[in-house]
Amino acid sequence: MRTHARETYRERMDTTTDTLVIGGGQAGLSVSYHLRRLGVEHLVLDGRDRIGDAWRSRWDSLELFTPRRYDGLDGMRMPGDPAGSPSKDEMAGYLESYAARFGLPVLTGRRVTALSRDGDVFTAETAAGAFRAARVIVAMSNYQRPRIPAFASELDAGIRQLHAVAYTSPAQLLPGRVLLVGAGNSGAEIAKDLRADHEVVLAGPSTGEVPGSYTGFLNRHLLVHALNGVVFPHLLSVNTPVGRRVRPKVMRRGVPLIRVKARDLERLGVVRAARVTGARDGLPVVDGAALEVTNIVWCSGYDPGFDWIRLPILDDRGEPRHDRGVVPEVPGLYFVGLHFLTSMASAMVHGVGRDAARIASLAASPVLQPEAA
Ligand SMILES: Cc1cc2nc3c(=O)[nH]c(=O)nc-3n(C[C@H](O)[C@H](O)[C@H](O)COP(=O)(O)OP(=O)(O)OC[C@H]3O[C@@H](n4cnc5c(N)ncnc54)[C@H](O)[C@@H]3O)c2cc1C
């Protein structure tokens, strides 16, 4: 019989539940919605203070590249013009209302510092006590920890440096030239944001770009739907030969530019450079030469940040080994929200629900332990 979470979780003591969901962003809320529909007793733990904080903390001018039509989770549309792009705060507010509407059992301020397993029982440690469960679903993107190259510490102390995760607006930066290191979507969008106030150099290999322009009436009605409705969730999936071919490249190089393209940046006067390779005399070395800059924004990506999972499931890059979100070596452990879990849409708002529904129904079934040898 399934246990019921005791209403004592505010105190520092152990709590037992059937299924523990770690992460209360869109992935965790999607999983919770489907677990609730299946009648699975569960709790969702999130390390932040408020649901939606992962979106709230992103830079001020950020609008989603997906229009509202593609920004609703299962069971609740995002309110507003379906063709318009929501702000990041609107997305955060939507997630909060989603959890409230379905009464999802989310406990915020509960960062899991260690996940282990003893026999059939998982234990998640938090500062507020331990949570035990028969199943654990880690529900979050695999870009939780900012990555900054080691030579950053050799740069002049007068250069203002921050990672994209801490960037909120041009006002944070010193006057003068900005070097953006990393030319993926974040680098391209932040370059556009900074261009009015700063001379901007954007360095890093190209991640490619999706074809066509993402703006304009025709594209809003054709390209956006083709990409978000067909290409990302269905064509670029582990079920298709093209998806299986593209997956390792996307995992290695990052997502191709979606909204701000190379030609937009060129028009805005953003200077492109190929590589930042180290530091010389306190300055970054860009394409072989030391470059005078007053600011650096590291758009150099993230590490998965899963080292709190004390189970032998991480590869040498810290990525979990899984098959479509199921961890074969550890029965009862699942992932949702990882980049390209099953398709290019897996880490996007409109794609996470499909993975969440499948994993929730697996979690609702008995955990099959491997037979003893
Ligand atoms: C700049 C940017 C723009 C994007 N724009 C779009 C867009 O327009 N459209 C789209 O579909 N997708 C977009 N995405 C992709 C994706 O939708 C977002 O990254 C989204 O935030 C992923 O949600 P998530 O729930 O999977 O993970 P996250 O948002 O990373 O949320 C994970 C949650 O888990 C918590 N957590 C992490 N570790 C622990 C732990 N150990 N214990 C407890 N809690 C923990 C975190 O605090 C966080 O609240 C964008 C991503 C970025 C970075």
Side-chain angles (χ1 to χ4, degrees), residues 54-137:
W55 281 104
R56 237 173 248 114
S57 61
R58 289 176 179 151
W59 62 92
D60 296 351
S61 66
L62 178 65
E63 286 184 347
L64 274 74
F65 63 81
T66 40
R68 289 186 189 82
R69 178 176 289 112
Y70 292 102
D71 296 328
L73 299 177
D74 291 344
M76 182 173 145
R77 282 181 342 106
M78 175 177 266
D81 173 11
S85 296
S87 70
K88 48 117 190 173
D89 288 345
E90 195 179 335
M91 185 65 208
Y94 166 83
L95 293 179
E96 229 171 6
S97 331
Y98 186 83
R101 168 145 170 201
F102 297 109
L104 304 180
V106 183
L107 304 179
T108 53
R110 304 292 198 284
R111 179 156 299 277
V112 175
T113 52
L115 176 70
S116 58
R117 186 168 180 256
D118 187 8
D120 300 348
V121 180
F122 290 94
T123 301
E125 298 289 347
T126 75
F131 291 78
R132 298 189 206 290
R135 298 160 187 77
V136 169
I137 303 175

Side-chain angles (χ1 to χ4, degrees), residues 235-253:
L235 185 63
L236 299 183
S237 129
V238 292
N239 298 322
T240 66
V242 62
R244 288 192 291 274
R245 212 168 43 243
V246 161
R247 187 174 187 270
K249 288 188 195 141
V250 172
M251 300 288 287
R252 206 175 46 246
R253 289 201 322 200

Side-chain angles (χ1 to χ4, degrees), residues 118-324:
D118 187 8
D120 300 348
V121 180
F122 290 94
T123 301
E125 298 289 347
T126 75
F131 291 78
R132 298 189 206 290
R135 298 160 187 77
V136 169
I137 303 175
V138 178
M140 61 185 77
S141 54
N142 46 341
Y143 33 89
Q144 297 295 327
R145 182 174 304 145
R147 188 194 302 144
I148 296 181
F151 65 78
S153 61
E154 297 165 36
L155 295 168
D156 192 284
I159 298 176
R160 180 154 297 169
Q161 298 187 50
L162 45 96
H163 189 274
V165 78
Y167 171 75
T168 54
S169 78
Q172 285 172 299
L173 302 186
L174 299 170
R177 187 186 278 154
V178 186
L179 173 65
L180 293 170
V181 186
N185 281 287
S186 293
E189 300 253 347
I190 294 175
K192 190 175 172 207
D193 202 39
L194 288 171
R195 185 56 202 112
D197 304 292
H198 295 271
E199 185 190 339
V200 179
V201 178
L202 176 65
S206 162
T207 57
E209 18 187 274
V210 297
S213 160
Y214 215 66
T215 51
F217 179 82
L218 196 64
N219 287 333
R220 275 239 171 270
H221 288 84
L222 287 176
L223 185 66
V224 167
H225 302 313
L227 287 178
N228 295 296
V230 182
V231 177
F232 292 161
H234 301 295
L235 185 63
L236 299 183
S237 129
V238 292
N239 298 322
T240 66
V242 62
R244 288 192 291 274
R245 212 168 43 243
V246 161
R247 187 174 187 270
K249 288 188 195 141
V250 172
M251 300 288 287
R252 206 175 46 246
R253 289 201 322 200
V255 177
L257 297 186
I258 297 178
R259 181 167 47 194
V260 178
K261 304 291 182 54
R263 67 176 170 282
D264 302 324
L265 295 171
E266 201 181 312
R267 244 193 327 263
L268 289 167
V270 171
V271 175
R272 277 294 270 118
R275 283 195 184 278
V276 181
T277 43
R280 191 187 304 148
D281 302 329
L283 293 174
V285 177
V286 180
D287 293 347
L291 183 73
E292 291 276 354
V293 294
T294 47
N295 305 280
I296 299 180
V297 183
W298 298 102
C299 303
S300 37
Y302 299 81
D303 289 324
F306 288 139
D307 45 9
W308 50 271
I309 302 179
R310 308 273 161 79
L311 295 161
I313 61 152
L314 303 179
D315 68 15
D316 50 9
R317 292 182 311 137
E319 297 280 359
R321 282 185 296 272
H322 67 91
D323 178 10
R324 295 162 201 245

